[in-house]
Amino acid sequence: MNWQQTYTLFGQGTAVSATIAALPVLTVLLLLGVLRKPAWLAGLWGLGISLLVALTCYRMPAVLAFSAAAYGVAFGLFPICWIVFWAIALFRITTVTGKFALIRALIGQLTQDAPSQALLIAFAFGAFIEGAAGFGTPVAIAAAMMAGLGFSPFRAAAICLLANTAPVAFGSIGTPLLTLSATTGLPLLKLSAAVAAICAPVALIVPAYMVLAMGGWRMLRFAIVPCVVTGVVFGGTQFVVGTYVGPALTDILASIFAMLALFLLCRFRPTTGVPPELEAAFRGERDAIAPAADGTDLLQLSVSDVVTAWMPYAFLVVFVLLWSVKPVQHLLAAGTFNVTWPMLHDQVFRMAPVVAQKQPYHAPFVLNLLAASGTSCMGATICSALFLRVSLRTFGQVLAATAKQLMLPVTTVVSVLGMAFLMNYSGATATLGLAFAASGALFPFFSAILGWIGVFLTGSDTSANALFGSLQVVTAERLGLSPVLMAAANSSGGVVGKMISLQTIVVAAAATGMDNDNQSKLFRLMLKHSVLLAAVVGCLALLYTHFLHF
């Protein structure tokens, strides 16, 4: 069966077609942002509306439509939910053994300031995990740690979502840009430099913006020094490495330098003098933590005690880094099975002007059982359980409790990705892209917005680059703009769309144990910040069009 995509509906123009194509997205926004329904319900409704639009408006054959939705569901289960499951299981291991209480106390001894803890864990450490693993791992790990440090589930999730912006384009050893380069045929280093030019200024302001958004101007006044230090070190390193070295190590090096800078700052400036009422409000109206939350006298602790407490996360770092080493990847590839998705692969054809000429739409499913980021997290979890002498029964209870916690979040993730993949293969997403491409001289601004929408739909900058990369290049060449800059704007705009993608919100909520009813509240909070930051990225792209040449 061969089916060609069409991008105009019922003989109408771009505006009407785009409005119809956007119905699934508008449904999700209505249910979450206005009616305040839980995320899992919004996801299921979005999937249902996308099926209706694909079958009745795009006239997509039912076999292809249901296969595309199933393809998205499968991708949601593996690798996304696979990562989240083991990230939460690792955190539960540290709590049932009592080691996280000690970690909490040690961090409290280094700095009791909530903003400094947020910068260290959510921004810097989260960026390290993003650079090494990506695909939901940093939000799951950092949000769980933040909740353990005394932040309310809502605040822990919100802070981690805001923090997980600047590093996204260079995440997972540069995978988003490797995908963008492969999709567009543009030079990787030029793309990396253009993305660095856009994302580094964003990284510069995100630490301060995160504190401002969560604590207000008064809190920012107390925390301005660690915010500036973090932003300058991370953003500066990201710019230099991204421009002159390439995307693979950009986040890893930037986050390491940022963590070192914060550690030194906290050692010589252990407190910013934040008043207790501001401290409690920043954490989410919970009491500020004490240096030794479990009553342990930290002065009596041996080096062995401290090392033992941190070993689960040391295992995580080791496994994540191992999984990024080429020789190890070759060994792990033995457990990789490349499947072409049945009744979909190369049976849908993308057409001009989305692509230069008619192209089959591939549907590969990579079942990388060993090489997946979630498997590295599984290895860290198992090693931690063995090292901390967790009984087999207790380990089983941890896994069972984690699975129970993730029942509704998994429903959300698979339904939203089913919706996103169906919109891709039906042509609805391309219709939205063509509507933005018609903006003419303002296209550099809307180029970033297009990437933002792509990540909102798919939850992945990599997927958004694969989805819209070719469209960005084709449109840029028609308008006489830089293809490199427009492709980079797509990836850069995507980084600030991740905080509102339902699957990312659900990951953060699941990691912190947040009530399902609060997920719509979290979405509404993140939406206004995401829109503002997307506008900043769009303005940067528009500015660079006139003053920089890539």
Side-chain angles (χ1 to χ4, degrees):
M1 179 184 295
N2 293 328
W3 179 72
Q4 297 180 0
Q5 289 183 342
T6 182
Y7 310 115
T8 55
L9 304 176
F10 307 117
Q12 301 299 313
T14 302
V16 173
S17 300
T19 302
I20 296 172
L23 285 176
V25 178
L26 295 175
T27 299
V28 170
L29 292 175
L30 174 67
L31 289 171
L32 282 177
V34 180
L35 301 181
R36 304 186 179 188
K37 299 298 182 182
W40 65 269
L41 185 62
L44 288 174
W45 267 98
L47 176 58
I49 297 298
S50 64
L51 273 169
L52 184 65
V53 170
L55 294 172
T56 62
C57 300
Y58 283 92
R59 306 287 179 166
M60 187 179 192
V63 171
L64 297 179
F66 282 98
S67 183
Y71 184 28
V73 168
F75 185 79
L77 290 172
F78 191 94
I80 304 300
C81 292
W82 181 246
I83 294 170
V84 179
F85 179 87
W86 288 108
I88 295 174
L90 177 65
F91 176 73
R92 283 182 175 270
I93 290 293
T94 67
T95 57
V96 299
T97 57
K99 299 307 176 185
F100 196 84
L102 183 53
I103 291 174
R104 171 176 165 168
L106 290 166
I107 293 177
Q109 185 187 47
L110 176 64
T111 174
Q112 294 188 49
D113 288 332
S116 296
Q117 291 178 350
L119 292 170
L120 183 63
I121 300 298
F123 186 85
F125 183 66
F128 177 84
I129 300 298
E130 177 68 46
F135 296 100
T137 312
V139 170
I141 293 291
M145 293 182 71
M146 293 285 287
L149 284 170
F151 289 80
S152 72
F154 186 86
R155 281 303 175 99
I159 288 169
C160 288
L161 289 171
L162 278 170
N164 189 228
T165 49
V168 169
F170 295 99
S172 192
I173 321 295
T175 298
L177 294 187
L178 289 169
T179 302
L180 186 61
S181 178
T183 302
T184 61
L186 297 171
L188 179 61
L189 189 58
K190 285 189 175 182
L191 285 171
S192 179
V195 170
I198 298 174
C199 286
V202 176
L204 185 66
I205 65 171
V206 163
Y209 184 84
M210 180 180 73
V211 172
L212 175 64
M214 294 293 104
W217 288 104
R218 191 177 171 205
M219 175 62 87
L220 180 59
R221 190 171 72 243
F222 285 100
I224 191 63
V225 172
C227 287
V228 169
V229 168
T230 305
V232 168
V233 172
F234 186 91
T237 307
Q238 186 182 63
F239 178 78
V240 172
V241 178
T243 301
Y244 299 105
V245 179
L249 295 176
T250 301
D251 277 349
I252 292 176
L253 293 177
S255 59
I256 288 174
F257 284 126
M259 284 189 283
L260 287 174
L262 276 170
F263 178 80
L264 292 174
L265 180 65
C266 291
R267 291 293 294 174
F268 292 103
R269 191 175 181 268
T271 180
T272 57
V274 178
E277 67 275 11
L278 278 183
E279 178 85 13
F282 190 83
R283 293 181 185 277
E285 299 182 351
R286 291 174 62 169
D287 294 334
I289 64 170
D294 60 351
T296 304
D297 184 355
L298 293 179
L299 296 177
Q300 301 300 319
L301 292 175
S302 66
V303 173
S304 177
D305 293 327
V306 175
V307 171
T308 300
W310 280 103
M311 278 307 294
Y313 292 104
F315 280 129
L316 176 66
V317 171
V318 170
F319 271 88
V320 165
L321 289 178
L322 272 176
W323 256 239
S324 66
V325 175
K326 290 294 183 184
V328 175
Q329 288 178 342
H330 288 309
L331 291 174
L332 297 174
T336 297
F337 302 93
N338 294 298
V339 180
T340 56
W341 197 258
M343 295 178 289
L344 185 65
H345 179 74
D346 285 355
Q347 295 187 31
V348 174
F349 285 85
R350 305 174 77 190
M351 308 298 290
V354 173
V355 290
Q357 56 187 3
K358 179 180 177 181
Q359 288 183 3
Y361 205 159
H362 305 314
F365 185 73
V366 181
L367 190 63
N368 51 345
L369 295 173
L370 297 180
S373 297
T375 307
S376 69
C377 200
M378 180 185 74
T381 304
I382 293 172
C383 286
S384 299
L386 293 172
F387 181 82
L388 298 175
R389 298 180 181 179
V390 176
S391 69
L392 189 60
R393 179 181 179 182
T394 302
F395 188 69
Q397 290 173 342
V398 165
L399 298 185
T402 303
K404 183 179 179 181
Q405 180 182 344
L406 288 175
M407 286 180 64
L408 284 179
V410 167
T411 301
T412 306
V413 170
V414 299
S415 60
V416 170
L417 281 166
M419 178 189 80
F421 277 54
L422 179 55
M423 289 183 66
N424 293 350
Y425 283 89
S426 68
T429 307
T431 300
L432 293 174
L434 290 172
F436 284 108
S439 56
L442 292 177
F443 180 69
F445 178 87
F446 288 106
S447 176
I449 302 302
L450 194 55
W452 176 73
I453 290 175
V455 175
F456 164 67
L457 289 173
T458 65
S460 164
D461 201 41
T462 300
S463 299
N465 286 345
L467 182 61
F468 288 133
S470 295
L471 176 64
Q472 298 277 12
V473 171
V474 170
T475 305
E477 289 173 344
R478 288 183 178 180
L479 297 175
L481 301 171
S482 166
V484 170
L485 181 57
M486 294 304 96
N490 187 87
S491 189
S492 302
V495 306
V496 293
K498 192 151 190 175
M499 70 177 77
I500 58 168
S501 73
L502 286 193
Q503 47 270 54
T504 309
I505 286 176
V506 168
V507 166
T512 58
M514 184 195 303
D515 294 337
N516 290 316
D517 293 340
N518 276 329
Q519 291 177 17
S520 59
K521 179 182 175 183
L522 181 62
F523 174 80
R524 293 193 302 274
L525 175 65
M526 291 295 102
L527 181 60
K528 62 182 181 182
H529 298 302
S530 183
V531 169
L532 178 59
L533 291 173
V536 170
V537 173
C539 289
L540 283 172
L542 192 60
L543 183 68
Y544 289 168
T545 300
H546 299 289
F547 295 101
L548 294 180
H549 299 282
F550 292 97

